[in-house]
Amino acid sequence: MKLKSPNVWYILGTVPVLVLDFVLGAWLARGMVWLSVVLLLLGLLAAVALVRKFIVLPKPRNRYGTPEPFALELPIDCNAEFYHCPEMAKYEFLHRTVEVVSPLWNGKKPFQVMINPTLAEKYGQDFEKAAVVRELENFRRKNSLKSLVGLLLPVEVLAAAVLAAVAFGPQLEAMLGSFVLYFAAPFVAVAVFGGCLYLWNRTISNQDKQLDAFLLGYFSKEQVKQYIQVTEKMHAEGGSEKSRVFTEHYRDDRLKALDTNKH
């Protein structure tokens, strides 16, 4: 398993359209120079803040306290080194299990994998290994990138479309006609946006099921089931009754998909 940093794709997938939104807003407010300048400055600050956020994901190395390196025997070989990080167990309600520290540029250095030390103590070493292997494959597939960009990009594009329609209304009306611009286009935009959210939700579900199936190549079905049951129980803790029912349904759906897998 060869791990590569996805950070640059986070930047390219979110920052350009965000900047476009602010530029369109500034163009729309061009009658008030001060407001245009403020919007451009806010856009610049937002872009810089996002780039800084994506330089190291999910957190800078110094935010993990003093993690302890240890040897972890996994059924896969990858360019990573492993650390038990007590900081991740500090707030149990956050449910931090495994995190791959990904800098924008890692060169040939191994990636640092931070692991909640209570995993093996509380659920056993097999659970810990399954959690680590799953997160490594999740990182390799860039699933978190797809989830974040898949959620933010439609919002940013919709905002850009609305701003463009307002800023260049007369020109667009001359090209498209009043009916298309003021009636058909908004309906299509809302339908496309709703479709994107639906596909995003389905993608999250499919990603989890694919990773569950991936684990079957290295762990027994019972071990994978234990992983699913424990992690979904974590997510249900502290939530409302409605949230608990949804989590249980999602858990059962994953377990059913696992049972039908022919691996």
Side-chain angles (χ1 to χ4, degrees):
M1 180 185 292
K2 182 67 174 177
L3 304 178
K4 296 181 180 179
S5 173
N7 298 38
V8 66
W9 298 111
Y10 279 92
I11 296 172
L12 294 177
T14 58
V15 174
V17 182
L18 178 68
V19 171
L20 176 62
D21 287 339
F22 279 98
V23 169
L24 286 171
W27 173 263
L28 189 61
R30 63 190 182 280
M32 294 181 286
V33 177
W34 67 269
L35 182 56
S36 293
V37 173
V38 168
L39 288 173
L40 289 174
L41 288 176
L42 287 176
L44 179 61
L45 290 174
V48 170
L50 273 181
V51 171
R52 289 185 63 185
K53 171 63 179 175
F54 294 144
I55 287 176
V56 181
L57 291 169
K59 297 175 182 294
R61 173 65 174 75
N62 58 12
R63 298 276 297 278
Y64 286 92
T66 54
E68 303 171 0
F70 75 108
L72 181 63
E73 294 184 8
L74 296 178
I76 59 172
D77 184 30
C78 62
N79 53 323
E81 52 190 26
F82 306 99
Y83 296 81
H84 272 152
C85 181
E87 185 71 19
M88 293 177 65
K90 187 175 181 180
Y91 302 106
E92 191 173 347
F93 65 91
L94 292 178
H95 309 306
R96 296 171 68 187
T97 55
V98 182
E99 295 176 3
V100 182
V101 181
S102 173
L104 182 63
W105 172 251
N106 202 49
K108 295 183 178 180
K109 297 179 182 178
F111 285 85
Q112 296 179 333
V113 181
M114 303 298 173
I115 303 167
N116 190 325
T118 64
L119 289 181
E121 178 183 341
K122 198 170 183 178
Y123 305 113
Q125 287 190 347
D126 287 339
F127 178 88
E128 179 183 45
K129 291 179 180 180
V132 172
V133 170
R134 188 182 189 278
E135 184 56 33
L136 288 172
E137 179 64 10
N138 182 65
F139 181 81
R140 188 191 70 81
R141 296 187 184 194
K142 299 178 175 60
N143 284 343
S144 298
L145 166 67
K146 297 171 186 175
S147 300
L148 179 66
V149 174
L151 181 62
L152 290 183
L153 194 57
V155 176
E156 293 179 346
V157 170
L158 180 62
V162 172
L163 290 170
V166 175
F168 305 104
Q171 295 91 326
L172 291 174
E173 184 177 1
M175 292 172 56
L176 303 174
S178 300
F179 176 79
V180 172
L181 181 62
Y182 298 114
F183 296 97
F187 175 80
V188 171
V190 171
V192 170
F193 182 71
C196 288
L197 291 181
Y198 172 77
L199 291 175
W200 177 82
N201 188 58
R202 288 291 301 271
T203 298
I204 298 296
S205 177
N206 289 335
Q207 286 176 354
D208 279 336
K209 291 176 182 177
Q210 289 167 3
L211 289 172
D212 294 340
F214 172 80
L215 288 181
L216 289 177
Y218 303 97
F219 301 92
S220 70
K221 185 169 289 188
E222 290 306 314
Q223 289 172 327
V224 180
K225 284 185 175 182
Q226 182 208 17
Y227 172 83
I228 295 172
Q229 290 166 342
V230 169
T231 52
E232 290 300 335
K233 182 180 178 181
M234 288 180 185
H235 296 153
E237 290 175 354
S240 63
E241 179 65 17
K242 185 176 181 180
S243 175
R244 184 185 64 79
V245 171
F246 174 80
T247 301
E248 290 179 352
H249 172 76
Y250 189 62
R251 175 203 63 198
D252 294 341
D253 189 44
R254 289 175 65 185
L255 292 173
K256 182 179 178 181
L258 199 67
D259 284 330
T260 58
N261 192 289
K262 296 180 181 180
H263 200 290

